[in-house]
Amino acid sequence: MMTGMNTEICDHTELATLREVFASRPEAIPAAGWTAVRSFEAEHGIVLPEPYRTFVAEICDGLRAGPPYYGLLPLAQTPSDWGSDRPERLLAEPFPLTASWLWEEESEEDEEVSEQELEARMDSVFDHGSLLLGTDGCGMYWHLIITGPQRGHVWLIDENGAVPFGTRPDTSLMLGTPGFTGWVTHWAQGRSWFAEA
């Protein structure tokens, strides 16, 4: 499990970094405000992790320029290609993963699971305990985990699997500083999401 993030108290250094990244972008959507953030949290029975919570309330509620490629979504929105026939998103349900999961990797345990059970597990990865931040297209969705052991981490979830951003070299293809601020900073520096092979 990745540790070291305080998702309950907003770090003023992280907030200053986020202000600096978004202040120079005139196309940034104005902050949602604390009333909207608290209303969203009450509606879903969750508390958003810091610094994202304060970021949306005080700095910015979306940006067309990114991150990711098709823009940072406003709070409570889903990408246009998300699909209307998807299962209901259950934000209060814990995100089910603590490590990368590539759908095609099979283990002895997976052989005993029916296709229907496997689909249900995959649906929970897409729909439980995370907020959609945006898409890089082609079904590649960035999620901020809001409940469960990965709270505060950003994950890329697509047709191939689910991978956390910002981990140790031996555990992920996406190296960087974990968390929302690390993800935003990585993008602002123009760095590739994926480590060189």
Side-chain angles (χ1 to χ4, degrees):
M1 184 170 111
M2 297 170 272
T3 59
M5 281 193 299
N6 185 343
T7 60
E8 309 312 312
I9 298 171
C10 188
D11 180 316
H12 294 291
T13 304
E14 287 191 61
L15 208 54
T17 298
L18 292 168
R19 283 185 202 283
E20 183 179 323
V21 168
F22 289 90
S24 64
R25 302 184 182 274
E27 71 279 15
I29 299 170
W34 283 108
T35 301
V37 168
R38 289 184 181 114
S39 176
F40 177 84
E41 291 174 332
E43 178 185 343
H44 293 283
I46 53 102
V47 173
L48 295 169
E50 292 290 359
Y52 179 80
R53 184 176 195 248
T54 300
F55 168 78
V56 170
E58 297 181 2
I59 299 174
C60 176
D61 189 23
L63 179 69
R64 283 189 190 161
Y69 186 78
Y70 289 99
L72 181 62
L73 291 169
L75 182 65
Q77 285 193 9
T78 54
S80 59
D81 65 346
W82 185 249
S84 59
D85 59 343
R86 295 215 32 87
E88 179 185 359
R89 294 191 44 74
L90 303 173
L91 305 186
E93 287 292 317
F95 181 70
L97 301 180
T98 56
S100 298
W101 178 27
L102 301 178
W103 316 139
E104 297 300 318
E105 287 185 356
E106 293 185 30
S107 69
E108 289 178 21
E109 180 183 309
D110 292 337
E111 291 174 11
E112 299 172 13
V113 175
S114 72
E115 190 172 323
Q116 189 174 25
E117 289 172 312
L118 185 59
E119 278 189 36
R121 282 187 192 174
M122 289 168 57
D123 283 346
S124 71
V125 171
F126 276 97
D127 296 315
H128 291 182
S130 69
L131 186 72
L132 283 156
L133 294 173
T135 179
D136 274 330
C138 300
M140 298 171 63
Y141 301 103
W142 291 95
H143 295 245
L144 175 65
I145 309 307
I146 55 176
T147 53
Q150 290 292 296
R151 178 176 164 79
H153 289 276
V154 175
W155 283 60
L156 177 63
I157 305 173
D158 65 18
E159 65 182 13
N160 300 309
V163 180
F165 171 79
T167 56
R168 297 183 318 271
D170 60 332
T171 61
S172 178
L173 297 173
M174 288 190 287
L175 309 180
T177 303
F180 182 71
T181 305
W183 180 72
V184 166
T185 303
H186 196 91
W187 166 79
Q189 292 170 347
R191 297 167 58 197
S192 171
W193 295 122
F194 298 97
E196 297 298 321

